[in-house]
Amino acid sequence: MLKRLITAREMLLVGAIALLLVLIASRFPGFVAPSNLANVFNDTSPLILLAIGQMIVILTKCIDLSVAANLALTGMVVSMVNVAAPDLPIVMILVIALGLGTLLGMFNGILVWKLQIPSIVVTLGTMTIFRGTIFLISDGKWVNSHEMSASFKAFPRTELLGLPVLSWVAIVTVILFTVVMTRTTLGRAFYAAGGNPHAATYAGINVGRTQFWAFTISGALAGLTGYLWVSRFAVAYVDIAGGFELDVVAACVIGGVSIMGGIGTVGGALLGALFLGIMKNALPVVDISPFWQLAISGGAIIVAVTLNAQANREKGRIILKRAEHAS
Amino acid sequence: MSATDRIIPDRLHSAFEQRLKSWETLLLLVAIGIFVANSFASPYFLNAWNLSDATFNFTEKAMIAFAMALLIISGEIDLSVASIIALASTAMGAAVQMGVGTPGLVLVGLGVGLLCGAFNGVLVTRMGLPSIVVTIGTMSLFRGISFIVLGDQAYGGYPASFQWFGQGYVWWVISFEFVLFGIIAVIYAVLLHKTNFGRAVYAIGNNATGAMFSGIRVRRVKFILFLLTGLMSGVAAICLTARLGSTRPSIATGWELEVVTMVVLGGVSILGGSGTIVGVVIAAFVMGLVTFGLGLVNVPGIVMSIVIGALLIGVIALPRLWSMWRAR
């Protein structure tokens, strides 16, 4: 029942994306050319990576508002490492980015797990702390393109089988987490911990620790994206990806992830991110000022969460709720 | 059954000696400590005009924090307050261009605040949506509308009588904003601690279902709280716009964080159900003193935000760490 509901939602979203593409194509056929769509996908890859991490966090009834600041801090650190040691192989840069992002995510997770501080408070706080730390370590200076080594900048753009590495990272992550979420005990624990924490506890799942792992994954993906972001745009400064956390949450909500926890799929997060990504890339094409972007994201969040609430209210879940109350 | 049995306490176990050890007393000591430290750190601190200037660091945010405190006590949250300021300020700016006078501007500011609050309130209480997502959405939406209207432009040309709301002094160093802050604090203290409405807010925060079954109109109370938060954001928008004398769409960016920090620092439980207005007032002074003191010793704003973020986490984490340590 639940599974059918989710797939129905995702089909709806696929339909919405197709409609959007048809509308744009009717005025600008060039937009739907395969090469342009590949560009749009590449441009949306950072959002996809973060949305997958955010989806896992939201599944466990938490929220991670620090992802964009984590991305920016990790990006600045790896840029400065690159400036200091230009000969360091890219593998090491990737290890540093993943490691630092993971640590920052774990910091959020520990506060949520061990001290049971609400995640919104923790991540609002760490969001500003991370941003401030970037200023402290960089002294407010930019790391510019000419200071970065060529190999540092080349990695996300290198083409493999016609697609840049950045796109491949997103594709591999989507596949990896689809498997993790549907085929591993940890993946199922995320659903259980958010869907019904009490039942999860009785089933032997440590809810706090599950939340900790969710934040750790979200942090790791944010760290990885941090490197890809600064190398792709070839610049690092305090405010990169400012406000991006809202887009990430928007992608999840549009993708049918329930903010109450327990409902959501990797596919949904992917589609939500693609929907926003196509919208963003289409705005300048159809000659709408980029100043509309913020309001459109906000409007999309509200419309999506309203639709989600309606869908969840009408179908299956209510019967489960009743059973819970009856017992 | 005596009258006291039926009272829902502001916080559990509030006997007199525990009140001495209460959060508010602790916070007051912190405030005094920061005050003393500041006066040693900078020779410019103990100056009536400088101190008066320092109050502007928190008066506008605190006005919103009072309403936010009630909202958080009832178990909801509003992250769109800073964006409501942006939208209200933009609306007032547009009104100025059309030649609207000061009374009209005030009405526009308050009206937009109320409308935004009502919009949040309807989505949360009528549609049954979680307030955190709704207000993350409206946070983008409201500021997004300001960006659509203004782009990279700015509104200015506010009349002098309007600017008095942000720059005027009632008597000597006492600014209009500071007086307004005091009046609003008293109003909210009475509303929360001395009225049925305030009791209802606590009851909802502690047990919304229980409150509903004891005859409290939960949805209506929450709707009113969203309206109040919107209204106070409108008031803050008037003061801030009058003080700056111009409107940009990026006005008051990040204030939602500072307002929530102020409320939580004031001892209001983020999970709802407990907290006092006195706590929020002291927290406002603490945050104002910290930012002003750091400013006097030339600490840049972004570093202050680290302090604010650390305060937000620290004030919740430290008591829990302390009780974990004592439980060993």
Side-chain angles (χ1 to χ4, degrees), chain A residues 115-116 118 120 128 259 313, chain B residues 127 130 132-133 257 270 302 320:
Chain A
L115 296 179
Q116 288 168 8
I120 175 156
T128 52
I259 208 80
R313 197 171 295 158
Chain B
M127 313 286 287
I132 174 157
V133 191
L257 172 71
I270 193 78
I302 188 151
R320 292 184 188 200

Side-chain angles (χ1 to χ4, degrees), chain B residues 176-195:
Chain B
F176 167 76
E177 276 196 23
F178 192 69
V179 172
L180 190 62
F181 157 78
I183 294 170
I184 291 173
V186 171
I187 291 173
Y188 273 92
V190 170
L191 181 67
L192 181 60
H193 300 301
K194 299 290 176 205
T195 66

Side-chain angles (χ1 to χ4, degrees), chain B residues 2-304:
Chain B
S2 72
T4 50
D5 286 338
R6 271 177 272 128
I7 291 176
I8 299 161
D10 292 359
R11 26 180 76 252
L12 299 172
H13 323 294
S14 63
F16 177 72
E17 69 267 30
Q18 257 156 343
R19 180 150 292 177
L20 277 182
K21 285 189 277 182
S22 75
W23 186 252
E24 286 78 9
T25 318
L26 188 74
L27 207 54
L28 193 60
L29 290 176
V30 170
I32 294 169
I34 295 171
F35 192 88
V36 173
N38 275 346
S39 39
F40 278 111
S42 167
Y44 307 107
F45 181 76
L46 279 180
N47 170 309
W49 283 103
N50 279 345
L51 285 175
S52 165
D53 271 355
T55 61
F56 287 108
N57 280 331
F58 64 82
T59 43
E60 290 141 5
K61 289 163 199 156
M63 292 171 196
I64 306 174
F66 296 135
M68 183 77 89
L70 267 63
L71 198 57
I72 291 181
I73 290 173
S74 82
E76 302 288 346
I77 197 164
D78 185 349
L79 296 176
S80 70
V81 285
S83 300
I84 298 179
I85 293 183
L87 190 54
S89 186
T90 305
M92 287 188 285
V96 165
Q97 314 308 312
M98 289 186 267
V100 175
T102 301
L105 291 178
V106 171
L107 282 181
V108 167
L110 298 180
V112 170
L114 275 176
L115 274 180
C116 292
F119 187 68
N120 284 331
V122 165
L123 286 172
V124 172
T125 62
R126 293 292 141 191
M127 313 286 287
L129 307 176
S131 57
I132 174 157
V133 191
V134 166
T135 57
I136 282 181
T138 52
M139 175 175 157
S140 302
L141 182 64
F142 295 156
R143 196 180 287 283
I145 297 173
S146 294
F147 268 107
I148 292 172
V149 174
L150 273 172
D152 51 4
Q153 304 295 307
Y155 281 136
Y158 291 96
S161 58
F162 179 76
Q163 297 198 354
W164 185 80
F165 291 122
Q167 301 168 5
Y169 289 85
V170 174
W171 175 74
W172 191 41
V173 297
I174 309 293
S175 65
F176 167 76
E177 276 196 23
F178 192 69
V179 172
L180 190 62
F181 157 78
I183 294 170
I184 291 173
V186 171
I187 291 173
Y188 273 92
V190 170
L191 181 67
L192 181 60
H193 300 301
K194 299 290 176 205
T195 66
N196 287 341
F197 184 83
R199 297 284 92 183
V201 171
Y202 282 114
I204 292 170
N206 278 301
N207 185 344
T209 317
M212 194 179 77
F213 282 117
S214 38
I216 294 170
R217 296 186 216 203
V218 175
R219 291 201 294 184
R220 179 192 280 190
V221 170
K222 284 188 175 175
F223 182 75
I224 293 173
L225 291 179
F226 275 104
L227 272 187
L228 285 177
T229 310
L231 180 68
M232 297 320 295
S233 305
V235 174
I238 293 170
C239 291
L240 181 63
T241 309
R243 184 156 65 89
L244 301 177
S246 75
T247 298
R248 281 181 189 283
S250 59
I251 191 172
T253 305
W255 276 29
E256 62 281 336
L257 172 71
E258 291 188 49
V259 169
V260 172
T261 307
M262 203 178 269
V263 172
V264 173
L265 185 63
V268 174
S269 163
I270 193 78
L271 301 172
S274 77
T276 63
I277 292 297
V278 179
V280 179
V281 172
I282 305 173
F285 276 99
V286 167
M287 285 180 63
L289 287 171
V290 166
T291 44
F292 181 61
L294 290 176
L296 278 181
V297 291
N298 289 327
V299 172
I302 188 151
V303 179
M304 283 185 212

Side-chain angles (χ1 to χ4, degrees), chain A residues 44-78:
Chain A
T44 314
S45 293
L47 184 59
I48 294 172
L49 289 169
L50 295 189
I52 291 171
Q54 186 73 257
M55 181 214 64
I56 300 173
V57 173
I58 295 178
L59 275 185
T60 66
K61 279 185 188 293
C62 290
I63 193 160
D64 187 351
L65 298 177
S66 72
V67 280
N70 181 338
L71 179 162
L73 176 54
T74 312
M76 176 56 84
V77 168
V78 292

Side-chain angles (χ1 to χ4, degrees), chain A residues 213-278:
Chain A
W213 283 117
F215 278 104
T216 306
I217 291 173
S218 172
L221 287 173
L224 175 64
T225 315
Y227 162 59
L228 297 172
W229 186 292
V230 293
S231 57
R232 174 162 187 252
F233 294 107
V235 66
Y237 54 96
V238 174
D239 288 323
I240 60 166
F244 200 59
E245 63 277 349
L246 295 179
D247 283 355
V248 175
V249 174
C252 287
V253 174
I254 293 169
V257 181
S258 164
I259 208 80
M260 313 303 278
I263 305 176
T265 60
V266 174
L270 168 69
L271 290 172
L274 283 178
F275 184 81
L276 275 185
I278 291 170

